Amino acid sequence: MCTGRRSQFPRSLTQWICALSLCCSLTACVKHRPVHVASSPDADLDYVDFNAKWRIRVVVPILRIPGYIVPTTGATTEGHILEFTADKEYVGYETEYYSVLPRHTTGVRLKFASAEDVIDGKTSVRTQPRLQMFNLPPAVKYIRLVHLIRQSGSDHNMVIVGAANQNTLVLLTASVLSNDSRMCNSSDETACIPVPQGIAVVPEEKTRVNGRAQWRPVR
């Protein structure tokens, strides 16, 4: 749990790091089931199919060095409190939001909604995302976020796969899981977009909590 942890990061980024770390820890121990799956070649696959009326939240660390993994130091202090400290390479972070919209016939499409930077504690609105994560071909109708575990339980990553039909989506998913990149070549009807390490991609749905509508992670 993240309760009782201190950090010099902004509060929202601290929560993101804690949530991401917790998800990684749980994935190493628990087999997840698919969420809103149309068809699956393997019952133990871990993925989420994007649904209309959801939104996708992307958190991108802003660093002075290449990459997105925030350099940190951690020290256990009295009372087992873990304190995170970012070094001078950390500048801030950007939060991007994408709407998941229904197509006229079937499937979904993504539309950039908004983005904001938090740098040195100051928030600014951006009209374009810093990272073009969802450059999908127009023909893509089905979009899936695949969670992967590679060489070890601590080596997690994600891939966004998209296809013009559900059968191709299943084949793309199997291709990604088997490290076979042949189906992931660029085309007008398919897409495979690896999510860089350090970036959080979080599908969210609107729910009512204590009578108020709030966006909450799907899982």
Side-chain angles (χ1 to χ4, degrees):
M1 296 178 64
C2 294
T3 303
R5 297 189 176 187
R6 295 196 301 266
S7 173
Q8 296 181 8
F9 290 137
R11 177 180 175 85
S12 56
L13 183 57
T14 302
Q15 294 172 340
W16 163 65
I17 291 176
C18 289
L20 193 59
S21 299
L22 179 61
C23 288
C24 291
S25 299
L26 291 177
T27 306
C29 304
V30 180
K31 288 185 177 181
H32 297 287
R33 296 298 179 184
V35 177
H36 297 287
V37 175
S39 58
S40 170
D42 186 332
D44 290 330
L45 295 184
D46 184 17
Y47 59 81
V48 179
D49 286 337
F50 291 179
N51 280 0
K53 297 184 180 180
W54 286 5
R55 76 175 184 183
I56 310 301
R57 174 166 51 92
V58 180
V59 183
V60 183
I62 303 172
L63 308 176
R64 293 187 177 92
I65 58 176
Y68 303 101
I69 299 177
V70 179
T72 62
T73 57
T76 303
T77 62
E78 186 176 353
H80 303 288
I81 296 176
L82 186 60
E83 182 173 349
F84 292 100
T85 303
D87 67 16
K88 62 182 180 180
E89 306 299 345
Y90 170 72
V91 175
Y93 64 99
E94 178 177 272
T95 305
E96 306 166 357
Y97 296 100
Y98 296 82
S99 300
V100 185
L101 304 174
R103 287 181 174 267
H104 294 301
T105 53
T106 184
V108 298
R109 61 186 178 90
L110 293 180
K111 181 180 179 181
F112 172 72
S114 64
E116 64 178 23
D117 284 349
V118 177
I119 298 177
D120 295 330
K122 298 179 180 179
T123 302
S124 60
V125 177
R126 292 179 58 88
T127 58
Q128 294 293 328
R130 186 178 295 271
L131 180 65
Q132 298 290 338
M133 178 66 71
F134 297 107
N135 285 329
L136 299 170
V140 166
K141 297 180 180 180
Y142 302 95
I143 308 170
R144 172 176 291 175
L145 179 64
V146 182
H147 298 262
L148 305 174
I149 302 177
R150 291 304 191 191
Q151 300 301 320
S152 69
S154 61
D155 184 12
H156 296 73
N157 51 30
M158 297 179 288
V159 177
I160 299 161
V161 297
N165 60 73
Q166 293 178 329
N167 289 336
T168 302
L169 188 69
V170 171
L171 295 176
L172 277 177
T173 303
S175 178
V176 167
L177 291 171
S178 63
N179 285 323
D180 185 351
S181 61
R182 286 176 296 178
M183 284 201 65
C184 283
N185 293 331
S186 298
S187 76
D188 293 335
E189 297 187 346
T190 60
C192 298
I193 305 174
V195 178
Q197 291 189 21
I199 291 177
V201 177
V202 185
E204 297 181 328
E205 60 182 341
K206 186 172 288 188
T207 60
R208 301 196 70 83
V209 180
N210 297 326
R212 300 181 60 182
Q214 296 183 12
W215 286 103
R216 299 177 68 86
V218 171
R219 53 187 299 166

